[in-house]
Structures are given as C-alpha cells and as structure tokens.
C-alpha cells in the first residue's frame, strides 16, 4: 500500500488520514472533497493534496469513501471504468446492504464494505483526531468471506490494527440488522423522547423538573438529520423492525409497572449495560 | 430555624447537611438513620449527632425526610403524636401524591412536600457534596398554596435559595405527572432498551457494534431497582400514561422512517434538547 486516497475528508476521513500517518504510513495521502474540506484537511495534516476522483483512482492502492451514504453509492456507481486492478476500495458508511450491492458492480475483489463505529458531536476535518479509532470497533462487511483473503484486504486489515481499531466481521445484512438495534434504535428513542416531552409538558417551567437522566437521554436527539436521513432511507425495514421489537418489549414492561416482577427487567437491562461497558 | 433534623442521611440527606453548613447555618444538625449511615454522616461533617426520631422531633424546627419513599410515608404516619407546633416537616421523595396525602394527616401547616432534582450514580453519605443542589431544581409541592406563606416555610425557602437551589412550585398531582415524563419515562426507556438489545442480539460479539450513543442511552439502566421499586409503586398510573404517550408517538415516527417528513421530528426533538440544556 503505497498511496491512499480518501474521498470525503470530514471528521472520519480526516481522522483516518491522521491515524495512518501516526501509525507510520509514509506514502502520499490524497483527498477528494469540496475545496473547503480539502483546505481544512490540508491545514490539519490529514492529507497531502486534494485531487479529482479520476486522479485518485489512477494513483491510489487504497481508496476510502468517507462520504455520506448516498454520496458513497453515487461515487461507487461512477467508479467502474476508472478503478485499476489491485486497488482496494472500501468505505465508512453507516449502513451496508445498499452500499455493498453497489460495490459488487465493481470488478471482483475490488470492494470491501466497512463501518468504523466512531464519531463525535463535532463534524469536519478540523475536529479530526489520529486517535479517533483507537479501541473502537471497525466493522468489515464482506459480501463473500473470501473478500478478506486477497492481499490488498489483508494489508488494509493490518493498517486498521495499527491505528488501534478492533475489527468485527459481519455480513452486510447482519450489520444492518445489528446497527438497527445498537445504533439506529437508540437514536430514534432519543428523538421520540424529545418529541414526547415537548408535547406532554404544558408549561415551560415544567422543563426545570428534567434531571440529569433526561439530559443523557436527549443528547442523541441533537444529531444532524442530514446524516440520519441517509441512514434511515437505506435501512428502513431493519429500523422499523427494531422499533417494533422495542414497542412490544415496552408494552410488556409497561404492564409490569408497580409490580415486583419489574425487578427482572431492571436486572437484565443493568447486566447488558455493564457488559457493554466491559466489551 | 435553630435546629435541623435529617431523617435518612444517604447522599441527599448528607448533602443537605453539608450544604446548610456551607451556606452559614450554625445550629445543630441532627441525623436520624441506621448506625452505619450515622457514622458516615458524622465522619463527613454532614450532621453533629445521631438521635432517635422522638428526640429529633422534640428539638428540631425543620425536619427533612430524605429516606426512600415508602419509609417517608411510614415515618410521617408515626409522627403525628410527636411533632411540635411550629415545626416544619418536609421531604425529598421522588413522588409526591402519596407522600403529601400522608403529610396532610399532620397538624395543618406542618408538612410541605419537596423533591430536589439532584442525584449521582454513587449513593451514601460518603458521596455527599455541599454543592449538590447548586443550580439544580428543588420542587416544592404544597397541597394548598397557602402552605408556602407560613413563617417556617418562608424560612426554609430562603435556605434553599442560599444553598443554590432553584425553587419550582407544582401541586403534588402536577409534580407526579411531570416527573413521569421527565424522569420516570427516560428511566423506563433505558431499561427497555437494555432488555431489547439483550434479546435482539444473537452473538456476544455483536455488542461490539454498540457505539457511544448506546452507552449514553443505557446509563440509566444501571440504576438501583431498590429506589425505582418505590417510585413505580407510588406513581404507577402517571408512568403508564407517559409510556402510553411515548408508544403512540413512536408508532407515528416509525411510520415516517425513511420519509423526508421525519425531519420535522428531528427538528422538534433537537429544539427540546437544546431548551433543556439552556434552562
């Protein structure tokens, strides 16, 4: 892996450039992005040059697409005539089924889907951090497990390890079902909680009765719809199923409110919360 | 207000003693609690002596009941023959309708319900802090607004202001309906999320796909059932109604998943979350 290109140098793309550099990658890192993003990424040292997509695909051995989901799908669709044999194209999109279906249209062995489970409340290259992926899961989603065995994929995985990421292998379908539960469900609950509180309170000062618990539970509600719009559009059915499952569970727990049997619900949820913090 | 008694010197009770002291209260602060809690509260300087309830009621001008909810109700029930005219009895219980109904059995003007919206993940007097109530809401719940006008109540309010609390006046019924939405609903959502994630994931390593959002949203799930058991037992109907309202809202939002109209839900929830942080 001599040259890397990153399309979309926002928080994730810029952090990947910074992380590679810190881990000892010495080749050129090219950025493909809007002029403003390129300027920010150059300023923080995440990339060495901004280039058009065509030049990036001509020069790079590894191409990371760190754009919004629908932009990734669009970029993949324009890539087939440009990509060189032996180049690995991967991505950082938050849903995988639609992206990996589009990636499968590239020559065999070219595309390997991915999803780093990292983020911050701030966006943009200026917020990039070399340590963003340290100790965080980076999911790889081969449509066929053999995709992981080719030399470019093996080299990419070794760089992921060097930047401190923990690799988790899931199929695209399994990934989308799992993140519908672990990521998209929490987001929708936070948003729905915000809407419910807003509609239920009858006077502005009642909001003063909101404690630290409500603060925690509404942090995700401040997420940008720009990002979530793509996620929900490309994972509609798994998210609907996750919400359906949640509603069924909440109905059952609601029936146990005030009954000592609710202790088992608290115990089970607390055990999950502790496992999550240990994992 | 020359002498104060605090029944239940856990986190809230001990913090109230420390806060009064720091705010300039120089009279004796008596604790009524188990021997272990008294020892901890004496060690951190939250109280000056541990005494039986009878002695506390004989000596104190202000009595704060900072016990679990069902213990507060029990203590109030035993107090009528012991309380002196002119003593103000107040409490720190998280639900108010049942407590204030029991308090109404004391001589008129004796009881004024309260609920400091403060807490920490750690319990016990050793975790007490003089600054715990600073900038936090302390709800007062008179059954009749005239309860706030008597001299002992006015003096108590001035001490609440001196320890930095922000006073919010709600009727007991309004309090319980509001906290069902702002506090009990978030708790039940976090617990239900923990149970849903636990039941939905099919392999232990899928939990690695949980990001910072899931961590936030499951913090409350680690709360002690010992505390929540009393809250849910004394606020069953308002919590059921809050969960019902949430489920209705979630059903509507679920139907809009993948549709651009979901942006209005995100906007409304984000606006609420920001107002909450400014209030």
């Amino acid at each position: 892996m001599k040259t890397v290109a990153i399309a979309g140098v926002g928080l994730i793309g810029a952090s990947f450039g910074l992380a590679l550099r810190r881990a000892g990658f010495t080749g050129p890192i090219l950025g493909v992005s809007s002029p403003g993003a390129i300027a920010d990424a150059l300023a923080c040292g995440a990339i060495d040059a901004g280039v058009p997509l065509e030049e990036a695909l001509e020069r790079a051995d590894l191409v990371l697409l760190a754009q919004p989901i629908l932009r990734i799908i669009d970029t993949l669709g324009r890539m087939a005539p440009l990509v060189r044999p032996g180049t690995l194209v991967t991505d950082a999109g938050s849903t995988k089924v639609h992206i990996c279906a589009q990636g499968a249209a590239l020559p065999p062995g070219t595309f390997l889907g991915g999803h780093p489970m990292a983020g911050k409340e701030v966006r943009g290259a200026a917020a990039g951090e070399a340590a963003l992926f340290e100790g965080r899961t980076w999911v790889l989603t081969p449509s066929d497990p053999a995709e992981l065995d080719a030399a470019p994929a093996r080299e990419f995985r070794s760089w992921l390890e060097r930047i401190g990421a923990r690799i988790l292998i899931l199929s695209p379908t399994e990934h989308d079902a799992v993140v519908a539960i672990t990521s998209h469900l929490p987001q929708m609950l936070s948003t729905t909680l915000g809407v419910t509180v807003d509609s239920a309170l009858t006077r502005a000062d009642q909001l003063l009765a909101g404690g630290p618990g409500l603060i925690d539970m509404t942090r995700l509600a401040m997420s940008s719809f720009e990002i979530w719009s793509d996620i929900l559009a490309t994972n509609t059915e798994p998210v609907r199923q996750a919400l359906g499952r949640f509603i069924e569970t909440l109905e059952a727990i609601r029936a146990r409110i005030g009954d000592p049997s609710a202790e088992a619900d608290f115990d089970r949820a607390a055990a999950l919360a502790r496992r999550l913090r240990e994992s």
Side-chain angles (χ1 to χ4, degrees), chain A:
Chain A
M1 189 168 105
K2 289 181 179 146
T3 302
V4 169
I6 302 169
V9 284
L11 173 70
I12 298 292
S15 295
F16 185 68
L18 292 168
L20 276 184
R21 203 52 101 206
R22 198 181 63 161
F25 180 75
T26 54
I29 301 179
L30 311 174
V32 180
S33 219
S34 65
I38 290 293
D40 287 348
L42 283 168
C44 70
I47 60 172
D48 301 306
V51 299
L53 180 65
E54 293 69 17
E55 185 182 337
L57 290 172
E58 220 165 81
R59 294 175 57 190
D61 310 297
L62 173 74
V63 180
L64 172 71
L65 307 179
Q67 303 155 302
I69 298 170
L70 297 182
R71 286 290 298 284
I72 292 173
I73 293 173
D74 176 69
T75 307
L76 285 170
R78 292 185 292 119
M79 242 182 207
L82 305 167
V83 73
R84 284 188 296 113
T87 296
L88 180 68
V89 178
T90 187
D91 80 304
S94 303
T95 63
K96 299 270 59 89
V97 168
H98 289 272
I99 287 175
C100 292
Q102 185 69 55
L106 295 179
T110 304
F111 184 73
L112 173 60
H115 179 198
M117 308 298 295
K120 294 210 295 188
E121 284 168 80
V122 205
R123 295 169 66 188
E129 285 182 37
L132 191 69
F133 308 108
E134 240 170 49
R136 293 302 184 86
T137 300
W138 191 305
V139 188
L140 294 178
T141 60
S143 298
D144 173 344
E147 292 173 19
L148 297 169
D149 297 329
R154 284 206 310 269
E155 193 175 1
F156 174 50
R157 287 178 69 167
S158 87
W159 279 107
L160 290 185
E161 281 159 12
R162 275 183 262 184
I163 66 175
R166 303 159 69 179
I167 295 169
L168 174 66
I169 311 291
L170 300 173
S171 76
T173 306
E174 188 184 2
H175 170 277
D176 285 5
V178 168
V179 295
I181 290 286
T182 61
S183 167
H184 310 170
L185 170 61
Q187 172 63 46
M188 296 316 295
L189 294 182
S190 186
T191 295
T192 304
L193 178 60
V195 171
T196 305
V197 171
D198 190 48
S199 77
L201 297 190
T202 53
R203 290 200 327 262
D205 68 353
Q206 292 175 338
L207 208 53
L208 295 173
L214 186 60
I215 292 275
D216 273 7
M217 296 291 286
T218 54
R219 192 185 65 83
L220 287 179
M222 296 186 294
S223 304
S224 150
F225 184 70
E226 209 183 319
I227 288 174
W228 280 94
S229 167
D230 280 14
I231 293 175
L232 299 175
T234 55
N235 207 26
T236 306
E237 270 319 304
V239 176
R240 285 210 176 129
Q241 280 176 33
L243 296 187
R245 185 187 267 270
F246 181 87
I247 289 170
E248 267 176 45
T249 310
L250 186 55
E251 291 280 19
I253 285 178
R254 179 172 182 250
R256 288 191 283 272
I257 295 272
D259 190 275
S261 66
E263 182 161 15
D265 303 319
F266 273 70
D267 287 350
R268 186 175 183 184
L272 183 282
R274 282 190 292 266
R275 279 208 307 288
L276 182 64
R277 282 154 177 83
E278 286 154 11
S279 70

